[in-house]
Amino acid sequence: MNTDHLFRLDGRVALVTGGSRGIGRMIAAGFVAQGATVYVSSRKAEACEETAAALGERCHALPMDVSTVAGCRALAAALGEREQRLDILVNNAGAAWGVPFTDFPESGWDKVMDLNVKSPFFLTQALHALLRAGAAAHPPAKVINITSVDGLRLNPWETYSYQASKAALIHLTRRLAARLVEDGIHVSSIAPGAFASEMNRAARDHGDAVAKRIPARRIGEAEDMAGTAIFLASRAGDYVVGETIAVDGGLVNASLGGGIDA
């Protein structure tokens, strides 16, 4: 068995939404390092351009707001003007909202649900033809949804729509996988735990304190996220379909609950 190229992405074309910072940028950097051509997209054009410049000549900015169906279709059209196929789509753009139960607003519910659940579906739909073209030219095309451990377990914060949205996206990942595998497109998801980012300010600003509650005793690093995404995107992950991988230092599956004295 020759494993020299098992994790390589040479010649592959990838699109990472929310790719200008945080987890999206970690994934984009990993893909570029493995030889892929990567488009990073987010609402802020300047942030996209800065990330593309930092990651090198194989990384390109493609700014777009994917919080609406129209924005999803516009991004797909813009990519179609530049590429004839798409091999890897990472649905990473997301939002959170935390407000006490009695005050939680409809706007906070709708914004999070639209961006975290609706947009991944409609962007994947809009890019379906390009993904099928990628699958036809290569081994399977890949769709990687970025979910969260908060879709697998409860957290103590009153982020009602966020937790519900991530649980929904995990199930949507399985449903999309069942349909798109027919077209040679393999769908899976990564459920991150504590990674330093604008969305996870606790991990960013209080990493040492957060680490004490994690079995691995540290927060996630860029290589942890990039490595998992590379695995799923490359030949190494071709037989993984519909799965959600928790990348969380054991928080979901290796954390003991509090005991109850008899």
Side-chain angles (χ1 to χ4, degrees):
M1 181 184 295
N2 184 348
T3 62
D4 290 347
H5 300 285
L6 198 57
F7 296 92
R8 293 294 303 175
L9 298 171
D10 301 287
R12 308 281 272 177
V13 177
L15 170 64
V16 182
T17 68
S20 65
R21 65 184 186 182
I23 284 172
R25 180 167 174 155
M26 296 174 196
I27 292 172
F31 285 176
V32 169
Q34 289 301 103
T37 296
V38 181
Y39 290 85
V40 292
S41 185
S42 72
R43 290 184 299 112
K44 298 179 180 179
E46 183 177 353
C48 285
E49 296 289 352
E50 289 175 356
T51 294
L55 296 187
E57 62 181 11
R58 287 198 311 278
C59 189
H60 309 283
L62 199 59
M64 196 68 66
D65 183 355
V66 296
S67 64
T68 66
V69 175
C72 292
R73 291 172 178 167
L75 177 56
L79 183 65
E81 292 173 358
R82 294 162 174 78
E83 301 287 346
Q84 295 184 344
R85 71 174 201 275
L86 178 63
D87 302 298
I88 306 157
L89 167 63
V90 179
N91 285 311
N92 171 67
W97 200 292
V99 175
F101 170 71
T102 53
D103 300 318
F104 204 94
E106 183 180 9
S107 59
W109 187 270
D110 291 346
K111 176 181 178 179
V112 171
M113 283 293 187
D114 282 353
L115 187 55
N116 293 6
V117 184
K118 184 177 176 180
S119 293
F121 177 85
F122 282 101
L123 182 58
T124 304
Q125 182 191 67
L127 289 165
H128 186 214
L130 286 176
L131 287 164
R132 280 190 301 174
H138 291 279
K142 305 292 180 68
V143 176
I144 304 171
N145 295 323
I146 304 304
T147 54
S148 172
V149 293
D150 291 346
L152 296 168
R153 58 177 283 281
L154 292 175
N155 74 37
W157 301 291
E158 294 192 86
T159 51
Y160 297 100
S161 54
Y162 180 78
Q163 295 183 56
S165 72
K166 292 303 184 177
L169 186 54
I170 287 169
H171 195 72
L172 181 60
T173 294
R174 293 191 289 262
R175 187 61 190 89
L176 285 173
R179 167 60 182 84
L180 296 183
V181 71
E182 301 172 8
D183 300 323
I185 302 165
H186 292 183
V187 185
S188 58
S189 97
I190 298 172
F195 283 79
S197 68
E198 181 66 22
M199 185 174 292
N200 193 335
R201 297 179 186 179
R204 183 192 66 185
D205 300 336
H206 309 286
D208 290 343
V210 172
K212 293 177 182 178
R213 302 193 296 270
I214 299 171
R217 295 295 184 264
R218 67 174 177 86
I219 65 170
E221 299 174 355
E223 290 82 359
D224 299 314
M225 184 53 55
T228 306
I230 290 166
F231 162 66
L232 289 173
S234 68
R235 170 63 185 90
D238 279 357
Y239 208 51
V240 179
V241 183
E243 184 61 77
T244 291
I245 300 177
V247 184
D248 63 352
L251 190 61
V252 170
N253 294 310
S255 188
L256 298 174
I260 300 175
D261 293 333

